Amino acid sequence: MRFVTLLCILLLGTGAAFSQSISGNMNSEAHSEALRYGNVDIYKGDKLVASVLTDKLGNFAVALDTGTYVCVMNYAGYSPIRKEIKVTGDEIANFKMKEDPTVPKRAAKRDDGELLDEMRSIEEVAVSSYKLESKSTAATITREDIRRAPTRSRGDYMGATGGTLATDGTVMAVHPGSGTYNGTASSRLLTAGEINDFSKWKMWQDLNKGELATYQKTWEIAPSGRYTVMLQSENGIPIVDAIVQLLLNRKVVFTTRTDNTGKAECWLTIKNETPEVNGKLSIQITYDGKVSIIHKVSAFENGLNHQKLNISCQEIQNVDVAFVVDATGSMGDEISFLQAEMSDVIFQSKQISNKLNFRFANVYYRDAGDSYVTKSMNFNRILSESDAFINEQSAGGGGDFPEAMDVGLDSAINNLSWSESARARILFLILDAPPHQGSEINERLQRLILQAAEKGIRIVPVGASGIDKSTEYLMRALALGTNGTYTFLTDHSGIGNSHIKPSTDHYEVETLNAILVRILKSYTYMPDCQQNIPDLALDIPDSIVSTVPEVDSTDTNAVKPDPKALNITWSYYPNPTNGVITILPNTDIKELYVSDLSGKVLQILPKLKKDERIQVDLSGYATGIYLIRYLDENNHWLSGKVVLQRTS
């Protein structure tokens, strides 16, 4: 029954355009156990037409047209299976995978030093006095408690399992005890926030001159002189992975690639220096062997640099995701939970579209003098291979505060086999400490930013406990220089040691899992050549927003809204639109922001009046999903989703 229910849900979510499907289960022939996160690839001839993962119960479902297909099943440590299937209706195909005797068994092989390091890390869990709460009592776990109960795992001592999320950096109510650890860490428990400095550009500039100014000198890094390019076809489809170069007097100063929305972020300098335009700026675009030039270039403050190309539509399906993880001893309080997130996040992101061709890679790093400095797994389409590699790793080593972060980042950017052509290349940098300081390290970091941008790699740091202000600044600079965003863990989950609050006005607290999935969605979605935009299941309204929820008057147990809360509604139409939308607010709006799905601000409209219609023209943008947002007087963001879609 569980399989049938899941199958119905998957078919409803993916099969709207098809009346046929292939569905089934993947399990181990020897052990009759479900194989989660197994790869299911569907080919028609030589063309890969769909790629999905099995869920935690080993189930899968793929909606297809009538025809003959080859279904290829892959799982780490098992022999692949190829099976031809004729699809005339809803076909069932179960697969029993045989273990591959030529593949060595994967197991966590740790030397004595690593085991000792991990034991020390487990003891360090007690440093911040994690609290275990039952329905009626609360207790503080100490280092001595851990020594007395050596059979219990790190997961038993960590954190809350649910609760009410907070906004604006305030503490939320946490409700422990609602989940089951079973001796292992679980996903969807860590809480986090995100700061996209592209969405708070003015604030970032102010912080650079004030609170964070000293760290520019420390790292000799300060991306500045911003030039944004939006590239699209004649019919509005975003052009992805085009090479974009900012030139000063015909000399290349910065090279990057357009993202899934057709935008590229160029910098006049990423060093800690005042950008100077001594001559003529231009932007050179190279795509599909053709070169075009934007001669009249505008800095971001004066608008985007739009360019349309007369090209045929191409759908790029490759997506590369690399995890670069600090595996030193200080990460012991959170690394198991972070590892639990990785595969779950990728599994969820695969639901965006079964046409996306995901590859995964991992780089773990420690420091000089440890049992290793870097340990890597190159890109692989088989998620279970990545999952197995991740689960072999542990925290250990280190000793001093800074680690070999620059070495790990260098290994990921320059030694992994990133796709030559891709819709997205994403590098999640998970860490709790900075690299060592010095001019040589700073020069390497500057070079790494330029190399990542040139390859189209977007760096998304995840700051864990132990991050200080200097490291926060560096991570945000890395994100800006590579068109990424900054995320950070918070104290709200109760997991891990204490976390600093970032330098910003306010932020929302969510689960880390939800943030990373949203980032992956916003970095990989795009319309197809027929202007169809995938349904991303976003929790963002598309017509009316109200800060006061409606309450069923017949429900005597319903929580009544705060009478002091603002009752703000607004409407906008048409939605979807082919260009112009009309907005009607019932309150004055100081500033209305138009942004892309990642939150990157594209327009700011000042002083909207109550009950006064205003028209916003989106026709200059590429087909896609956009947000209209404003900040109410209680410092809450009200956001609405607009779909810009032309006739194909």
Side-chain angles (χ1 to χ4, degrees):
M1 179 63 69
R2 184 186 300 176
F3 169 70
V4 173
T5 302
L6 175 69
L7 175 58
C8 292
I9 292 172
L10 288 172
L11 291 178
L12 286 173
T14 61
F18 305 96
S19 56
Q20 297 82 35
S21 68
I22 298 175
S23 59
N25 180 267
M26 181 193 293
N27 61 53
S28 168
E29 182 181 69
H31 309 291
S32 297
E33 62 182 6
L35 297 178
R36 68 170 193 166
Y37 303 146
N39 283 63
V40 183
D41 295 327
I42 310 295
Y43 292 85
K44 194 165 190 177
D46 295 331
K47 182 180 180 182
L48 179 67
V49 296
S51 177
V52 299
L53 299 173
T54 60
D55 65 10
K56 292 182 179 180
L57 301 176
N59 299 324
F60 71 94
V62 186
L64 295 164
D65 263 331
T66 300
T68 300
Y69 299 87
V70 174
C71 187
V72 180
M73 314 293 283
N74 280 284
Y75 201 86
Y78 290 79
S79 299
I81 294 178
R82 295 176 62 90
K83 184 176 182 180
E84 184 177 284
I85 299 175
K86 292 184 178 180
V87 176
T88 58
D90 292 332
E91 312 296 339
I92 303 296
N94 295 320
F95 295 83
K96 291 186 178 295
M97 307 291 287
K98 294 183 179 180
E99 294 184 359
D100 186 347
T102 66
V103 177
K105 297 287 185 182
R106 302 197 75 138
K109 297 180 180 179
R110 303 168 187 167
D111 59 31
D112 292 341
E114 289 184 82
L115 289 171
L116 181 59
D117 287 337
E118 184 172 11
M119 290 302 297
R120 288 170 178 165
S121 298
I122 292 174
E123 289 191 2
E124 290 303 320
V125 168
V127 170
S128 61
S129 297
Y130 295 111
K131 294 182 178 180
L132 293 177
E133 295 182 15
S134 64
K135 293 181 179 179
S136 58
T137 62
T140 299
I141 303 302
T142 67
R143 196 183 300 260
E144 185 61 28
D145 292 325
I146 294 177
R147 292 195 178 104
R148 290 175 179 174
T151 60
R152 300 181 69 181
S153 77
R154 182 185 299 117
D156 293 318
Y157 296 103
M158 286 186 168
T161 59
T164 305
L165 298 185
T167 59
D168 306 321
T170 57
V171 176
M172 67 180 182
V174 176
H175 312 295
S178 61
T180 302
Y181 289 108
N182 296 325
T184 59
S186 302
S187 63
R188 309 192 193 190
L189 301 179
L190 295 170
T191 53
E194 176 192 3
I195 298 178
N196 185 339
D197 287 306
F198 287 113
S199 70
K200 299 182 177 183
W201 184 239
K202 290 183 179 179
M203 176 174 291
W204 172 254
Q205 291 173 306
D206 290 340
L207 288 169
N208 275 347
K209 298 173 184 176
E211 183 177 342
L212 300 178
T214 184
Y215 306 121
Q216 296 182 36
K217 299 176 182 177
T218 300
W219 300 110
E220 300 178 37
I221 293 174
S224 51
R226 179 184 173 192
Y227 296 83
T228 304
V229 178
M230 177 173 280
L231 196 61
Q232 57 185 295
S233 66
E234 292 288 350
N235 63 347
I237 299 293
I239 297 176
V240 178
D241 210 29
I243 298 172
V244 177
Q245 295 176 306
L246 181 64
L247 285 72
L248 179 58
N249 297 325
R250 299 184 180 181
K251 180 181 178 182
V252 176
V253 295
F254 193 87
T255 302
T256 187
R257 299 194 181 208
T258 51
D259 60 24
N260 60 306
T261 67
K263 289 194 292 297
E265 296 289 347
C266 297
W267 303 96
L268 199 56
T269 181
I270 53 92
K271 299 180 180 180
N272 182 32
E273 59 188 15
T274 302
E276 296 184 3
V277 181
N278 297 318
K280 182 173 177 55
L281 282 174
S282 60
I283 293 174
Q284 179 172 294
I285 298 162
T286 305
Y287 185 75
D288 199 22
K290 300 176 182 178
V291 177
S292 60
I293 305 289
I294 300 176
H295 293 286
K296 189 176 181 180
V297 177
S298 296
F300 175 77
E301 289 74 11
N302 300 321
L304 307 185
N305 295 281
H306 294 269
Q307 183 83 330
K308 289 187 176 182
L309 300 182
N310 185 14
I311 60 168
S312 58
C313 181
Q314 299 182 30
E315 295 183 6
I316 300 175
Q317 310 292 10
N318 295 332
V319 176
D320 290 347
V321 179
F323 292 101
V324 181
V325 183
D326 179 347
T328 55
S330 61
M331 288 288 291
D333 60 329
E334 292 168 330
I335 195 168
S336 295
F337 288 85
L338 288 163
Q339 288 172 322
E341 298 289 0
M342 295 179 194
S343 295
D344 186 66
V345 163
I346 294 297
F347 173 75
Q348 293 186 71
S349 70
K350 283 278 287 183
Q351 310 312 305
I352 300 171
S353 170
N354 61 23
K355 293 183 179 180
L356 291 179
N357 181 22
F358 275 89
R359 299 194 311 155
F360 318 99
N362 298 277
V363 175
Y364 279 68
Y365 68 87
R366 290 185 175 174
D367 205 358
D370 290 336
S371 55
Y372 65 84
V373 178
T374 64
K375 184 184 291 187
S376 303
M377 172 188 169
N378 207 350
F379 281 108
N380 193 319
R381 293 192 64 252
I382 312 305
L383 175 59
S384 51
E385 291 280 1
S386 181
D387 194 36
F389 179 87
I390 289 170
N391 289 327
E392 290 175 2
Q393 311 310 316
S394 62
D400 55 355
F401 181 47
E403 313 295 358
M405 184 274 277
D406 55 309
V407 180
L409 195 59
D410 196 339
S411 178
I413 292 171
N414 293 305
N415 295 339
L416 296 179
S417 56
W418 297 90
S419 295
E420 289 296 322
S421 175
R423 179 182 298 195
R425 303 174 187 85
I426 306 166
L427 189 158
F428 290 107
L429 175 58
I430 302 171
L431 76 171
D432 69 351
H436 295 270
Q437 293 183 8
S439 58
E440 184 177 343
I441 300 293
N442 292 349
E443 289 174 5
R444 171 183 275 177
L445 292 171
Q446 293 168 4
R447 173 173 52 81
L448 290 173
I449 291 174
L450 296 175
Q451 290 173 332
E454 183 172 0
K455 293 183 178 183
I457 301 168
R458 305 173 74 169
I459 298 177
V460 179
V462 181
S465 64
I467 289 290
D468 61 6
K469 280 295 167 185
S470 177
T471 313
E472 177 194 328
Y473 171 81
L474 177 60
M475 294 303 102
R476 291 168 73 169
L478 288 174
L480 277 171
T482 59
N483 195 21
T485 188
Y486 174 63
T487 67
F488 51 93
L489 300 183
T490 71
D491 289 340
H492 302 85
S493 67
I495 298 171
N497 297 322
S498 62
H499 308 80
I500 64 168
K501 291 186 177 181
S503 297
T504 189
D505 51 354
H506 57 270
Y507 59 91
E508 295 183 357
V509 177
E510 309 171 69
T511 63
L512 176 66
N513 192 284
I515 292 174
L516 297 187
V517 168
R518 184 178 67 246
I519 289 171
L520 279 167
K521 284 183 176 181
S522 68
Y523 283 9
T524 58
Y525 95 97
M526 65 176 295
D528 61 20
C529 292
Q530 288 72 47
Q531 298 273 349
N532 298 311
I533 299 174
D535 181 8
L536 301 183
L538 301 170
D539 188 22
I540 302 173
D542 56 9
S543 180
I544 297 174
V545 178
S546 174
T547 56
V548 180
E550 294 183 5
V551 178
D552 184 356
S553 59
T554 63
D555 184 358
T556 57
N557 295 320
V559 178
K560 299 298 186 294
D562 182 355
K564 296 181 181 180
L566 296 176
N567 184 12
I568 298 175
T569 62
W570 57 334
S571 61
Y572 47 94
Y573 54 88
N575 193 13
T577 179
N578 62 7
V580 177
I581 61 169
T582 300
I583 300 173
L584 180 62
N586 80 336
T587 186
D588 292 342
I589 297 177
K590 182 179 178 181
E591 288 184 319
L592 180 74
Y593 296 83
V594 179
S595 70
D596 66 14
L597 188 58
S598 72
K600 186 180 295 184
V601 174
L602 307 175
Q603 285 188 56
I604 300 177
L605 289 79
K607 298 180 180 178
L608 276 66
K609 299 295 184 182
K610 176 182 178 181
D611 298 328
E612 182 178 308
R613 285 178 172 82
I614 182 170
Q615 290 190 326
V616 180
D617 188 359
L618 306 179
S619 59
Y621 300 147
T623 298
I625 300 172
Y626 295 88
L627 305 178
I628 52 175
R629 320 173 67 214
Y630 73 94
L631 199 62
D632 70 19
E633 61 186 66
N634 289 335
N635 282 332
H636 294 143
W637 280 106
L638 300 184
S639 299
K641 178 181 66 177
V642 178
V643 175
L644 175 61
Q645 194 169 34
R646 280 97 171 175
T647 303
S648 59

